[in-house]
Amino acid sequence: MEVNWPDWLNFDWLDLGWLELPWVDTNWFHDNWYGLLLLGFFWGVVVFTMVGALTAVYVYVERKVSARIQGRLGPMETGPHGLLQTLVDVVKLAVKEDVRPAAADALAFRLAPLLVVVPAVMAFVVVPFGVPMVIRDLNVGILYFLAVPSVTGVGLLLAGWASYDNYSFLGGLRASAQFISYEIPRTLAVVTVVMLSGSLSSAGLIGAQADTTWFVLLLPLSFVIYAVTTLAEVNRVPFDIPEAESELVAGFHTEYSGFRWSLFFLGEYASLTTASAFAVALFFGGGLGPVLPPVVWFVLKTAVIVFFAVVLRFTLPRFRQDQLMALAWKYFLPLSLVNLLLAGLVMKAVF
Amino acid sequence: MSEELLADVFFLLGFGVAGLMLPMVPLLLLRYIRPQHPSAVKLQPYESGVVQTTAPRRPFHMAYYNFALVFIVFEVETVLLFAVSPVLRDASWMDLLKAGIFVVLVSDGLFYAWRKGALVWK
């Protein structure tokens, strides 16, 4: 790939080499297992802090957008235009009593929020923020992106089961059924992109799109399948059956309160962000774009997709459970199998 | 295990430990700040204001099992496709045809399940 980026972008600054501390041998981080462990730990702390801050912004944006759509003002009291509202909410959640039902399974009840939030955030490792920039360019990056956040499904089921609550139990069951149903069309849509990019690394993905064009132009059907199934995967409207407020009283997290509850929220927003970021990487050329640096392009494109998901939430009604399953198995799965064959033809035409 | 893979695994291990610690440490520390006044009524499961009458851990809808079975068939298929798909770009028409035949054969499983009524939510 022959692209001339400015030096400071080409520089492998994610490897801490840019620190150039005279007393630190930066190679040390890559030569020893404990160095790698530390490096991973460092990036873990950075990414988790970032996601926490991002979620606060999301909550504010979502409340403001919903207010605009519904003809309200939204949060206005705390700070100018309610800007500090989320911050205050975090404090409220942190000092709220943590109620665990007496009949609940203590260990599973504690473990479930962690199983939801940690895999969702771990997916950030392979997100290609800029053209040369990935936190760690795993050679199985795309497979990793599909596999690791799937653990979230186990977390939802566990939360529902552990709560010892009928609503939660149903919510957990529905969540896992929906999760596995939409997983297959989604994976098959990503497989078509892998066919065109010729590698499973997420940096290679951007390189392949720099050589040809945005994959959304070559595989429009794949993008449609990916977009709809991803909404289902992150439990967004119109696929929020597992946590339907009016039927299941919040579903799998009915019994959760305070900080533990906010972890579910964090996980949901983190997976929405990574899924949107990967939609950009898979179909919209990642950070490729004129004039502006790649990172800015990447963030802009991701923001547009996330904004679209937020608007959808307040525009569409919810699917019914049987409609939801029929849509996945009778429409999207056959469609994605046909799409797989079509993508083979497109691939032969392009390369 | 190759050295590169091992390096990735250690990196991810460090990342995961950080990921577990960041939600867990505040949870443990906040225990000393937040109020904790449990009572028998408060610790009951929520059931829209009435006392819980049916236990939630009971046999549930059979349809979930059907879908889980079909899911396993297709999940294995997609894993196999992941192994094949990166090299298809430089493959010949013949190899592409073979991969296509594989996809068609597995699709047949979907239509079998469909005909048998396994995909109906009832």
Side-chain angles (χ1 to χ4, degrees):
Chain A
M1 189 173 73
E2 279 303 311
V3 189
N4 288 320
W5 306 109
D7 255 3
W8 62 274
L9 274 173
N10 257 332
F11 204 62
D12 215 356
W13 61 277
L14 290 170
D15 281 351
L16 295 186
W18 54 278
L19 276 172
E20 284 183 10
L21 304 172
W23 63 92
V24 177
D25 178 11
T26 46
N27 282 329
W28 181 88
F29 282 113
H30 299 275
D31 291 344
N32 307 296
W33 66 266
Y34 36 89
L36 281 160
L37 214 62
L38 265 179
L39 193 67
F41 189 83
F42 170 77
W43 280 110
V45 172
V46 170
V47 168
F48 266 81
T49 318
M50 214 175 67
V51 169
L54 211 63
T55 305
V57 177
Y58 269 175
V59 173
Y60 178 74
V61 169
E62 186 144 33
R63 292 177 75 172
K64 274 298 187 189
V65 170
S66 71
R68 174 54 67 96
I69 291 174
Q70 297 165 347
R72 297 180 287 119
L73 283 176
M76 287 297 278
E77 297 296 323
T78 331
H81 286 269
L83 271 170
L84 297 175
Q85 184 64 48
T86 333
L87 209 65
V88 179
D89 282 345
V90 170
V91 176
K92 185 205 88 173
L93 285 168
V95 297
K96 209 175 162 185
E97 182 171 355
D98 185 34
V99 182
R100 194 180 71 241
D105 186 321
L107 179 64
F109 192 85
R110 291 197 179 108
L111 188 64
L114 294 176
L115 274 182
V116 171
V117 75
V118 175
V121 179
M122 277 191 83
F124 267 99
V125 171
V126 290
V127 170
F129 292 100
V131 173
M133 259 191 251
V134 188
I135 291 181
R136 194 158 183 93
D137 188 20
L138 307 180
N139 53 7
V140 288
I142 297 174
L143 187 61
Y144 172 93
F145 168 72
L146 289 170
V148 170
S150 296
V151 179
T152 304
V154 181
L156 301 183
L157 183 60
L158 198 63
W161 183 83
S163 301
Y164 205 80
D165 178 303
N166 282 308
Y167 295 119
S168 299
F169 183 64
L170 280 176
L173 278 181
R174 285 181 177 190
S176 56
Q178 176 177 325
F179 215 85
I180 63 171
S181 299
Y182 282 87
E183 181 117 326
I184 297 165
R186 184 168 185 243
T187 313
L188 288 177
V190 174
V191 163
T192 60
V193 175
V194 175
M195 280 162 64
L196 255 71
S197 92
S199 86
L200 284 169
S201 117
S202 43
L205 190 64
I206 309 299
Q209 290 185 77
D211 289 342
T212 55
T213 175
W214 290 6
F215 283 161
V216 69
L217 300 174
L218 301 176
L219 304 164
L221 196 55
S222 295
F223 173 65
V224 172
I225 296 172
Y226 179 87
V228 177
T229 52
T230 297
L231 279 177
E233 205 84 338
V234 299
N235 290 333
R236 296 289 295 190
V237 174
F239 303 104
D240 67 335
I241 276 281
E243 41 187 325
E245 297 96 341
S246 44
E247 306 164 29
L248 286 176
V249 212
F252 53 84
H253 57 74
T254 302
E255 294 294 345
Y256 284 86
S257 58
F259 196 75
R260 246 181 256 281
W261 174 84
S262 68
L263 287 182
F264 280 111
F265 224 69
L266 193 67
E268 190 178 308
Y269 279 99
S271 43
L272 176 64
T273 319
T274 43
S276 310
F278 244 81
V280 168
L282 290 168
F283 296 105
F284 292 98
L288 298 173
V291 188
L292 297 171
V295 190
V296 177
W297 271 113
F298 190 82
V299 172
L300 278 179
K301 289 175 186 175
T302 310
V304 168
I305 293 200
V306 169
F307 181 77
F308 190 63
V310 170
V311 172
L312 268 187
R313 176 169 176 183
F314 299 100
T315 340
L316 296 176
R318 189 179 291 140
F319 274 100
R320 224 167 48 212
Q321 178 77 19
D322 59 327
Q323 293 170 334
L324 194 84
M325 300 306 268
L327 186 70
W329 291 98
K330 294 184 179 170
Y331 294 90
F332 274 108
L333 186 50
L335 193 67
S336 59
L337 287 167
V338 171
N339 181 40
L340 206 57
L341 300 177
L342 278 179
L345 298 179
V346 171
M347 184 182 71
K348 272 294 170 191
V350 174
F351 295 101
Chain B
M1 242 196 261
S2 75
E3 208 148 286
E4 197 188 335
L5 180 61
L6 208 62
D8 284 343
V9 168
F10 275 116
F11 181 89
L12 290 176
L13 205 66
F15 199 96
V17 169
L20 276 175
M21 271 177 66
L22 258 78
M24 274 170 85
V25 169
L27 263 177
L28 291 177
L29 292 180
L30 287 171
R31 180 175 289 183
Y32 301 102
I33 301 176
R34 63 185 175 219
Q36 203 70 271
H37 308 293
S39 68
V41 176
K42 196 188 273 178
L43 296 186
Q44 277 180 4
Y46 178 77
E47 187 100 341
S48 301
V50 295
V51 177
Q52 196 175 49
T53 46
T54 47
R57 288 178 201 157
R58 55 172 191 261
F60 53 88
H61 207 313
M62 183 67 190
Y64 288 108
Y65 178 70
N66 284 341
F67 281 105
L69 273 186
V70 188
F71 166 74
I72 289 173
V73 173
F74 280 92
E75 194 68 349
V76 171
E77 186 216 347
T78 50
V79 168
L80 291 175
L81 278 175
F82 254 104
V84 175
S85 55
V87 293
L88 277 181
R89 201 167 82 169
D90 308 314
S92 63
W93 274 105
M94 198 58 208
D95 295 334
L96 205 60
L97 191 68
K98 286 174 193 165
I101 289 172
F102 173 71
V103 171
V104 171
L105 281 180
V106 180
S107 315
D108 188 49
L110 175 69
F111 293 110
Y112 177 75
W114 199 331
R115 255 202 333 273
K116 286 282 176 184
L119 302 185
V120 180
W121 188 270
K122 50 184 182 285

